[in-house]
C-alpha cells in the first residue's frame, strides 16, 4: 500500500522512451534505472536497478507495434515491480493496443481488449492511465481505477493558435462512428460539421458513399482517434476535394500508420496531418506533412494529480 509520503518513480520500457523522458522532465525527475532487453532465445528480460519499495510507480509504455512485444514488456515490468514491493503501480498506456477488438462482431470472435485488461490486472497493476480509447466501454473491462485522458484539447489549441479566423473551416467526421468526437471538436472551434457516410466491404478497405453537410469552398479538417493504414482518411480527403473543398487537413490522437499509410498520405490531397506523440514515430514515418504535438505535459500533470489524490477530470474543465 502506498504511503502518504511516498515518492514518484517513472519507468519506461522500449515502446516510447523519449516520451517517458519528457514526462519525467516535466515532473522534475529522472527515469528510474532499469533495463528491458532480450535473452538469446528472444524471451524478454527486465532488470530494475532502483529501489521501489513503497514508491508510487508509473510505467510509460504504449502498446503500439510490435504490440505483442510491447505488451509483454509492460506485463513483465509490472510483475517485477510488484515483487519488489512497489507501493502502487500505474500502467501509463498512451495508446492501448487491441482496443478495436472490443466486442463480438461475428460468431466466435474473441474480445481481445478485455483479455488485455485482464492481463494487466493479473500482472499486478493497481491503476491505468490511458488516452483516447478507441471505444469508451473498454473502461468497464477494468476492475481497477482507470483514468481516461482526451487529446482533443491539444488538437483544438493548435488550430486556434495557428489561424486568426476559422470562419471558412468545417470539421468532418470520416465515418458515422466518429461523429460524437468530431462534434465535440467542432464545438471547441465553433465551426460547422460534416459527415462522410461510407461502406466498408472488408477490413482496412473503405469506400466513400456520400457527404452530409456543406463543404464546397471550405477548408476542412478530418477528425479521427487513430489512423492505421490511412485508407479511410485518404479516400475521405480525396472525396472532399472532389466535392469542392479548397484545402483538406486531418488530425488524430494515435498515429498508428501501418502498412502503406505513409505512402498514401504523401500521395493524397491532405496538406497537413496533425498527430499526438502517443506512439513513437520512427524516422521512416516522419514526413513534412505530419505535424506532431507532445502529450508529455498533460500526462505529467495527470500523474502528479494521481499521486496527490486530486481530480484528473479537472484537467479538462
Amino acid at each position: 500500500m502506498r504511503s502518504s509520503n511516498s515518492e514518484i518513480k517513472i519507468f519506461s520500457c522500449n515502446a516510447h522512451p523519449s516520451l517517458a523522458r519528457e514526462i519525467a522532465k516535466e515532473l522534475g525527475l529522472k527515469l528510474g534505472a532499469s533495463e528491458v532487453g532480450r535473452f538469446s532465445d528472444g524471451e524478454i528480460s527486465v532488470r530494475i536497478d532502483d529501489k521501489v519499495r513503497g514508491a508510487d510507480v508509473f510505467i510509460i509504455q504504449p502498446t503500439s507495434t510490435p504490440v505483442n512485444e510491447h505488451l509483454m514488456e509492460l506485463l513483465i515490468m509490472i510483475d517485477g515491480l510488484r515483487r519488489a514491493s512497489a507501493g502502487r503501480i500505474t500502467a501509463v498506456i498512451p495508446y492501448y493496443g487491441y482496443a478495436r477488438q472490443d466486442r463480438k462482431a461475428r460468431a466466435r470472435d474473441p474480445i481481445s481488449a478485455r483479455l488485455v485488461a485482464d492481463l494487466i490486472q493479473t500482472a499486478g497493476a493497481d491503476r491505468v492511465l490511458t488516452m483516447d480509447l478507441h471505444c469508451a466501454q473498454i473502461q468497464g473491462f477494468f476492475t481497477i481505477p482507470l483514468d481516461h485522458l482526451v487529446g482533443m484539447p491539444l488538437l483544438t489549441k493548435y488550430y486556434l493558435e495557428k489561424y486568426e479566423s476559422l470562419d471558412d473551416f468545417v470539421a468532418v467526421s470520416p465515418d458515422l462512428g466518429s461523429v460524437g468526437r468530431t462534434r465535440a471538436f467542432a464545438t471547441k472551434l465553433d465551426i460547422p460539421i460534416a459527415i462522410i457516410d461510407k461502406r466498408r466491404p472488408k477490413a482496412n478497405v473503405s469506400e466513400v458513399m456520400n457527404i452530409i453537410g456543406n463543404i464546397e469552398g471550405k477548408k476542412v479538417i478530418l477528425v479521427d482517434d487513430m489512423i492505421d493504414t490511412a485508407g479511410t482518411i485518404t479516400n475521405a480527403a480525396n472525396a472532399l476535394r472532389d466535392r469542392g473543398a479548397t484545402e483538406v487537413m486531418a488530425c488524430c490522437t494515435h498515429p498508428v500508420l501501418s502498412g502503406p499509410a505513409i505512402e498514401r498520405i504523401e500521395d493524397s490531397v491532405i496538406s497537413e496531418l496533425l498527430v499526438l506523440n502517443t506512439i513513437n514515430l520512427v524516422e521512416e514515418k516522419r514526413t513534412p506533412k505530419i505535424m506532431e504535438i507532445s502529450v508529455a505535459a498533460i500526462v505529467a500533470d495527470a500523474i502528479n494529480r494521481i499521486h496527490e489524490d486530486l481530480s484528473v477530470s479537472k484537467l479538462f474543465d
Side-chain angles (χ1 to χ4, degrees):
M1 179 66 69
R2 180 179 68 95
S3 64
S4 58
N5 60 351
S6 62
E7 60 179 325
I8 298 177
K9 295 274 189 176
I10 307 292
F11 287 89
S12 174
C13 299
N14 292 328
H16 206 339
S18 61
L19 176 59
R21 286 191 292 269
E22 277 190 73
I23 293 168
K25 185 178 179 180
E26 289 281 345
L27 292 165
L29 302 171
K30 290 184 178 180
L31 281 182
S34 66
E35 184 178 328
V36 181
R38 298 292 182 275
F39 292 109
S40 60
D41 64 352
E43 291 180 358
I44 293 166
S45 163
V46 172
R47 190 178 71 197
I48 299 162
D49 295 324
D50 258 3
K51 178 186 174 183
V52 296
R53 183 177 295 273
D56 197 6
V57 177
F58 296 82
I59 309 169
I60 316 299
Q61 178 78 340
T63 49
S64 51
T65 185
V67 59
N68 299 330
E69 290 278 305
H70 290 155
L71 177 59
M72 280 303 299
E73 288 181 0
L74 174 63
L75 297 175
I76 293 171
M77 180 166 275
I78 290 171
D79 183 72
L81 290 165
R82 177 175 61 87
R83 294 175 188 277
S85 301
R88 179 174 65 184
I89 301 168
T90 301
V92 181
I93 312 172
Y95 170 72
Y96 186 94
Y98 286 104
R100 285 171 284 184
Q101 299 180 39
D102 65 304
R103 66 192 185 279
K104 292 185 68 170
R106 297 171 305 219
R108 296 174 293 281
D109 271 358
I111 304 180
S112 305
R114 171 58 192 268
L115 174 60
V116 170
D118 289 343
L119 289 169
I120 291 168
Q121 293 174 122
T122 300
D126 297 297
R127 67 187 305 138
V128 170
L129 175 63
T130 188
M131 176 173 277
D132 279 351
L133 288 168
H134 186 64
C135 298
Q137 64 263 29
I138 293 173
Q139 297 174 72
F141 294 169
F142 289 88
T143 57
I144 58 176
L146 182 146
D147 293 295
H148 188 211
L149 303 178
V150 293
M152 186 181 62
L154 296 174
L155 300 172
T156 54
K157 181 183 178 184
Y158 172 84
Y159 293 111
L160 288 169
E161 291 179 349
K162 182 175 180 178
Y163 298 100
E164 291 185 7
S165 172
L166 296 170
D167 290 344
D168 58 343
F169 279 72
V170 177
V172 179
S173 173
D175 52 40
L176 296 176
S178 298
V179 171
R181 182 182 302 107
T182 306
R183 183 177 291 115
F185 178 91
T187 300
K188 288 285 186 182
L189 297 183
D190 194 23
I191 59 177
I193 182 176
I195 302 167
I196 294 178
D197 176 30
K198 67 177 176 61
R199 177 170 57 88
R200 187 186 294 274
K202 59 182 179 180
N204 291 329
V205 177
S206 65
E207 179 182 347
V208 173
M209 300 297 290
N210 193 26
I211 297 173
I212 304 166
N214 178 28
I215 52 91
E216 188 172 355
K218 303 289 187 178
K219 296 178 180 178
V220 301
I221 305 172
L222 283 157
V223 183
D224 214 342
D225 66 320
M226 71 172 68
I227 296 176
D228 188 355
T229 60
T232 294
I233 210 82
T234 54
N235 285 346
N238 293 332
L240 290 165
R241 174 57 68 87
D242 291 343
R243 306 292 178 88
T246 58
E247 184 179 358
V248 182
M249 291 162 273
C251 66
C252 72
T253 300
H254 308 300
V256 179
L257 303 179
S258 66
I262 297 300
E263 182 180 353
R264 285 173 172 174
I265 291 167
E266 283 291 293
D267 293 341
S268 74
V269 299
I270 294 174
S271 60
E272 180 183 74
L273 171 59
L274 179 65
V275 304
L276 303 183
N277 68 337
T278 56
I279 294 172
N280 185 31
L281 272 185
V282 295
E283 196 58 39
E284 53 266 29
K285 290 186 179 181
R286 294 184 179 273
T287 79
K289 282 192 175 185
I290 296 179
M291 172 66 67
E292 187 179 53
I293 297 175
S294 178
V295 300
I298 193 171
V299 173
D301 201 351
I303 287 173
N304 192 58
R305 286 176 172 273
I306 290 168
H307 178 69
E308 299 292 340
D309 294 324
L310 300 174
S311 171
V312 175
S313 64
K314 289 290 184 181
L315 289 172
F316 311 110
D317 286 350

